[in-house]
């Protein structure tokens, strides 16, 4: 009996050591084994993702963001879609005349489509006027608009009612 108890102790110690290391080989009633590792670290949210989550959570009681952030540029407007089944929305992004790249991105929830403009300058060195440039950008949705409200991430204001 003593040898059986010692064997179980060694097995348990080995399993605990592997679990501490982050990987465990599990076997159940069958002959198949499954290797289980540690979960990957969660992806760090950027400014837009954090803001979109806040808008979805707190809607409609939201305030505009403070300051101007290149990842959260306010939208000048949005074109009204032809019907609720559309999967694209055209927005007008207000960005710096010095931005060499600009665009828009979205975050979708059951009730809201949160959209922001973004801009990227070639470099922060040199002179740049603070002129506002506006351009239309089409945002593709994962699912049809279907009655959801379209909200500007920077201002927190509703642009369109689905």
């Amino acid at each position: 009996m003593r040898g059986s108890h010692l064997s179980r102790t060694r097995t348990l110690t080995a399993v605990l050591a592997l679990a501490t290391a982050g990987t465990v080989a599990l076997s159940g009633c069958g002959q198949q084994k499954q290797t289980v590792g540690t979960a990957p670290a969660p992806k760090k949210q950027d400014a837009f993702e954090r803001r979109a989550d806040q808008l979805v959570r707190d809607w409609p009681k939201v305030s505009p963001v403070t300051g101007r952030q290149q990842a959260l540029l306010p939208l000048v407007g949005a074109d009204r879609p032809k019907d609720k089944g559309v999967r694209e929305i055209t927005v007008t992004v207000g960005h710096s005349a010095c931005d060499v790249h600009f665009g828009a991105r979205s975050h979708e929830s059951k009730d809201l489509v949160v959209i922001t403009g973004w801009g990227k300058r070639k470099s922060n060195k040199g002179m740049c006027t603070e002129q506002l440039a506006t351009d239309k950008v089409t945002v593709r949705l994962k699912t049809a608009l279907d009655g959801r409200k379209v909200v500007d991430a920077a201002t927190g204001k509703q642009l369109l009612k689905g």
Side-chain angles (χ1 to χ4, degrees):
M1 195 66 151
R2 183 158 168 72
S4 172
H5 175 68
L6 184 58
S7 176
R8 278 187 289 205
T9 303
R10 284 184 185 155
T11 302
L12 180 58
T13 303
V15 168
L16 289 173
L18 286 171
T20 304
T23 303
V24 178
L26 300 175
S27 62
C29 295
Q31 296 296 330
Q32 297 178 344
K33 289 186 178 182
Q34 179 181 5
T35 301
V36 179
T38 56
K43 182 184 152 204
K44 186 177 178 185
Q45 288 187 313
D46 64 19
F48 170 66
E49 292 164 331
R50 285 190 303 274
R51 174 65 173 170
D53 283 347
Q54 178 206 8
L55 287 168
V56 168
R57 183 182 60 245
D58 298 340
W59 180 262
K61 296 180 180 182
V62 294
S63 301
V65 293
T66 56
R68 185 169 172 86
Q69 301 176 33
Q70 289 299 107
L72 286 169
L73 298 178
L75 301 174
V76 177
D79 294 352
R80 180 147 310 279
K82 294 178 181 163
D83 60 63
K84 292 181 180 186
V86 301
R87 293 183 67 153
E88 292 183 345
I89 299 172
T90 301
V91 295
T92 304
V93 177
H95 60 91
S96 167
C98 296
D99 288 337
V100 292
H101 300 288
F102 60 87
R105 61 189 278 209
S106 65
H107 173 91
E108 299 179 45
S109 75
K110 180 182 151 222
D111 300 316
L112 300 177
V113 176
V114 180
I115 301 179
T116 191
W118 60 267
K120 185 169 183 151
R121 294 184 179 168
K122 187 173 184 178
S123 82
N124 290 336
K125 297 178 182 176
M127 291 187 47
C128 178
T129 63
E130 291 298 321
Q131 288 177 287
L132 177 67
T134 59
D135 285 283
K136 289 191 180 260
V137 177
T138 299
V139 177
R140 292 185 191 353
L141 304 177
K142 293 176 186 170
T143 59
L145 185 57
D146 198 27
R148 295 181 289 174
K149 295 171 179 70
V150 178
V151 178
D152 180 347
T155 64
K157 292 184 179 177
Q158 184 175 336
L159 296 170
L160 297 173
K161 185 174 181 178

